[in-house]
Amino acid sequence: MSQVSIALTGVPTGELEQLLRLVHRQQIAPPITPATLALVGLQHRSEELMQSLRGLDEPGVRAVLIAVLAERRS
């Protein structure tokens, strides 16, 4: 059985930045689903991302990603 990290702790910063860019450029439209993650090459992070982003609208997805990235930079 594989072990999935809690929330976004196991997702590399670069992949979170990539997802934020995709949302910002409207290349992926929330709500985020495993299918939309697969379309942009992030299917391998589906379980982790869905824990925190499932059901969120665009402002919610942006807020979560920006907060996590800001926390990592401080």
Side-chain angles (χ1 to χ4, degrees):
M1 183 167 125
S2 67
Q3 186 174 1
V4 175
S5 299
I6 296 173
L8 299 175
T9 58
V11 180
T13 300
E15 290 179 352
L16 294 176
E17 291 170 337
Q18 175 189 1
L19 183 56
L20 181 59
R21 265 192 307 278
L22 292 166
V23 170
H24 178 71
R25 294 176 182 163
Q26 298 179 342
Q27 294 174 321
I28 186 172
I32 303 296
T33 66
T36 57
L37 291 172
L39 289 173
V40 297
L42 291 171
Q43 65 276 1
H44 61 287
R45 297 290 180 200
S46 185
E47 287 183 65
E48 295 156 303
L49 292 169
M50 294 308 296
Q51 285 181 29
S52 298
L53 303 178
R54 177 175 278 120
L56 296 179
D57 60 2
E58 185 174 336
V61 170
R62 286 177 187 251
V64 169
L65 294 174
I66 290 169
V68 171
L69 291 168
E71 186 176 280
R72 289 183 181 189
R73 288 190 175 125
S74 65

